[in-house]
Amino acid sequence: MKKLNALLILATIFCSSLFAQNSNFGKEDALAVLKNAKESVKKHYYDKEYHGINLDEHFKKAEEQIKQAQNAGQLMGIIAQTLIDFDDSHLFFLPPPRMNRSDYGIEFRAHGENVFIQAVKPGSDAEAKGLKPGDRLITINNFPVMREKLWVLRYLFYALRPQPALRVVLQSPDQPERTVDFNAKVIQGKRILDLTNGNQVDLFDYIRQLEEADHVSRHQYEKIGEDIFIWKMPQFDLDENSVDVMFGRIKKCKSLILDLRGNGGGYVDTLKRMITDVFDQEIKIAERNGRKELKSIVAKRFAGNFTGKIIVLIDNNSGSAAEIFARVMQLEKRGTVLGDRSAGAVMESLRYSFQSGMNTIIPYGFSITDADVIMKDGKTIEHVGVTPDEVMIPTAKDLAAGRDPVLAHAVEVLGGKLSSENAGKMFPIEWIK
């Protein structure tokens, strides 16, 4: 896969954080951060062959780049790029938590091979400048917008360097391309995420937290008649008791539509409990391959499980635990998967925390992949994703009109009735004012 050198170029121009804001952070500090990155990978990375990368040569090259760097933005870009070159969804640099964040007023998502604006925040400058759902994004700040590299944009603009404004080239349905400049709302004085507190971290979930700091992220559900239960699950964040409570409601219905579109993953314990509640026997979810022998991921048998029909909805923003759940449904022939191919970001990782500075302490860290996840069929989902049993992708016109043909079709398959217009109104993005 082509290395993402564009990130380094963009970071050279844009990248800044607490490091870049701190004039005391220089090349020696950057070299120390790079050394910690190398030692963390060397000691903890699951693949002793490092994906074919010569570790000494790779980091030596980065050291030389740091010596030639002209500013803190370039230093940050070099550090981030050095880990991105491993082409591993769970190996990446965790920059310091910042006190400021940028609310761009838009949500964008891949549908098929293109990327579209999914929603626009009311009252935002993006809305004032005419951005609308269904607009296809072509470039953001001169960076080409592509499905396979979408996470790079998210990582750059939400984690490494939030911007005060964006320039986008986009295209509305049946309209010519146009260029729009719009301002973000820069919110000061509130730290939104502590990146060095805890052990586990997941790239898609991490970026989702940064992206959705202005969204209400909550589990929602609706019923179609008495037979169809629809659960909109934004993340795998429930404890076992909460999962059981949800299935207590679901068991009153004959069918479940589990909407995992946009679900970036979450806790393994939530995943296991979800699977426990839909099977009547113990299920071996996956093997874990690492440097040492690791236990398999297993969902124990549980009496009183849900036995009805299941349809799982996924899209390109479905990652990690969401992908594993969907794939288990396919492999065990327990349910049907509808929608778009998932993210292909399924590994396990741990967070390793460090700090820089003497008078001003700046925390930072690294997510280091410690295990590959191998499914029951002996294959990995990493870089592959889960291909739905039935691929169904909304069009730009569907997005522009607020329609959701995928959810409507799932209801129809289960014998219910729901128009795509009403399906699109069922779980709108809730913006934090």
Side-chain angles (χ1 to χ4, degrees):
M1 183 177 290
K2 182 179 179 181
K3 292 182 179 180
L4 307 177
N5 294 318
L7 175 60
L8 177 56
I9 296 172
L10 279 176
T12 297
I13 302 172
F14 299 118
C15 188
S16 174
S17 69
L18 290 184
F19 281 156
Q21 295 166 16
N22 186 347
S23 59
N24 294 323
F25 182 80
K27 295 180 181 180
E28 292 301 318
D29 301 289
L31 288 171
V33 174
L34 189 69
K35 180 181 178 181
N36 286 333
K38 178 182 178 181
E39 291 178 350
S40 297
V41 172
K42 186 175 183 179
K43 183 177 181 180
H44 303 293
Y45 195 60
Y46 82 103
D47 180 8
K48 291 183 178 180
E49 300 299 323
Y50 309 110
H51 288 195
I53 290 176
N54 184 307
L55 215 59
D56 291 333
E57 291 181 2
H58 187 66
F59 279 89
K60 181 64 176 178
K61 180 180 178 181
E63 290 175 10
E64 295 302 319
Q65 290 176 333
I66 284 176
K67 293 175 183 178
Q68 300 299 319
Q70 300 299 313
N71 54 57
Q74 291 181 356
L75 297 174
M76 287 283 288
I78 292 165
I79 294 167
Q81 185 69 52
T82 302
L83 296 184
I84 287 174
D85 284 343
F86 284 78
D87 197 22
D88 181 329
S89 68
H90 286 57
L91 176 65
F92 57 97
F93 173 50
L94 288 159
R98 58 181 51 80
M99 298 302 291
N100 299 340
R101 60 186 174 87
S102 293
D103 172 11
Y104 301 113
I106 61 172
E107 165 147 335
F108 51 91
R109 190 174 297 180
H111 295 282
E113 296 305 314
N114 295 313
V115 178
F116 298 90
I117 292 178
Q118 188 82 13
V120 179
K121 186 175 184 178
S124 65
D125 193 49
E127 181 187 53
K129 296 296 175 58
L131 275 69
K132 298 178 181 179
D135 288 346
R136 180 172 68 91
L137 284 171
I138 300 169
T139 67
I140 300 179
N141 285 11
N142 296 319
F143 191 91
V145 180
M146 299 177 290
R147 174 191 175 113
E148 299 302 331
K149 303 293 186 281
L150 188 57
W151 72 272
V152 181
L153 284 178
R154 299 186 190 281
Y155 181 53
L156 174 65
F157 291 121
Y158 288 96
L160 281 181
R161 182 55 176 110
Q163 296 293 297
L166 294 178
R167 168 170 288 185
V168 297
V169 176
L170 47 79
Q171 183 177 29
S172 297
D174 299 327
Q175 297 295 320
E177 294 181 8
R178 68 186 191 278
T179 300
V180 179
D181 295 299
F182 63 98
N183 296 319
K185 181 179 180 181
V186 179
I187 301 172
Q188 301 180 346
K190 184 178 180 181
R191 182 170 294 177
I192 63 171
L193 187 63
D194 184 354
L195 300 180
T196 59
N197 180 23
N199 292 321
Q200 293 188 337
V201 65
D202 180 276
L203 174 63
F204 273 59
D205 188 50
Y206 160 59
I207 295 176
R208 182 196 54 75
Q209 290 180 57
L210 295 171
E211 262 190 311
E212 297 182 1
D214 296 295
H215 299 174
V216 176
S217 182
R218 63 187 179 92
H219 295 254
Q220 302 177 69
Y221 61 91
E222 295 283 351
K223 290 175 64 177
I224 303 297
E226 296 298 318
D227 294 336
I228 302 174
F229 192 101
I230 305 173
W231 180 4
K232 178 65 174 178
M233 187 180 190
Q235 54 191 313
F236 281 70
D237 62 345
L238 301 179
D239 59 32
E240 291 186 352
N241 182 65
S242 297
V243 172
D244 291 344
V245 168
M246 281 298 296
F247 274 100
R249 299 188 181 107
I250 294 168
K251 283 190 290 187
K252 299 176 183 179
C253 297
K254 295 180 179 179
S255 304
L256 166 65
I257 298 174
L258 182 62
D259 191 346
L260 300 182
R261 293 174 296 178
N263 186 317
Y267 299 123
V268 173
D269 286 346
T270 306
L271 168 67
K272 291 195 293 185
R273 195 63 178 185
M274 292 281 294
I275 293 176
T276 290
D277 272 313
V278 298
F279 285 94
D280 59 4
Q281 77 271 3
E282 181 175 287
I283 295 295
K284 184 176 180 179
I285 300 171
E287 297 284 358
R288 300 161 65 232
N289 288 349
R291 289 197 180 189
K292 58 183 179 181
E293 186 174 350
L294 299 170
K295 293 182 179 179
S296 303
I297 305 174
V298 177
K300 301 294 185 180
R301 184 179 183 277
F302 174 67
N305 59 298
F306 174 69
T307 59
K309 295 180 179 179
I310 299 176
I311 292 180
V312 181
L313 307 184
I314 61 173
D315 65 5
N316 183 246
N317 263 29
S318 302
S320 198
E323 298 181 87
I324 294 175
F325 185 91
R327 187 60 181 145
V328 168
M329 293 299 103
Q330 289 181 327
L331 293 173
E332 300 294 338
K333 303 187 186 304
R334 178 64 180 88
T336 302
V337 180
L338 299 180
D340 195 4
R341 177 168 54 88
S342 63
V346 181
M347 305 287 274
E348 286 190 8
S349 61
L350 291 176
R351 181 185 310 173
Y352 295 90
S353 303
F354 298 90
Q355 62 185 31
S356 175
M358 295 294 291
N359 297 325
T360 301
I361 302 300
I362 303 175
Y364 65 93
F366 307 101
S367 169
I368 308 295
T369 308
D370 67 338
D372 190 5
V373 178
I374 307 300
M375 303 302 295
K376 184 179 178 179
D377 61 355
K379 299 179 181 178
T380 180
I381 304 174
E382 180 74 2
H383 294 312
V384 177
V386 176
T387 299
D389 299 301
E390 183 177 353
V391 175
M392 192 171 187
I393 302 170
T395 65
K397 291 183 178 181
D398 287 328
L399 297 174
R403 299 190 294 260
D404 187 349
V406 181
L407 177 56
H409 179 64
V411 171
E412 181 182 6
V413 169
L414 295 173
K417 292 184 178 180
L418 180 67
S419 69
S420 59
E421 289 79 10
N422 288 335
K425 298 175 183 177
M426 191 165 284
F427 303 114
I429 290 177
E430 300 174 287
W431 301 92
I432 296 174
K433 297 181 180 180

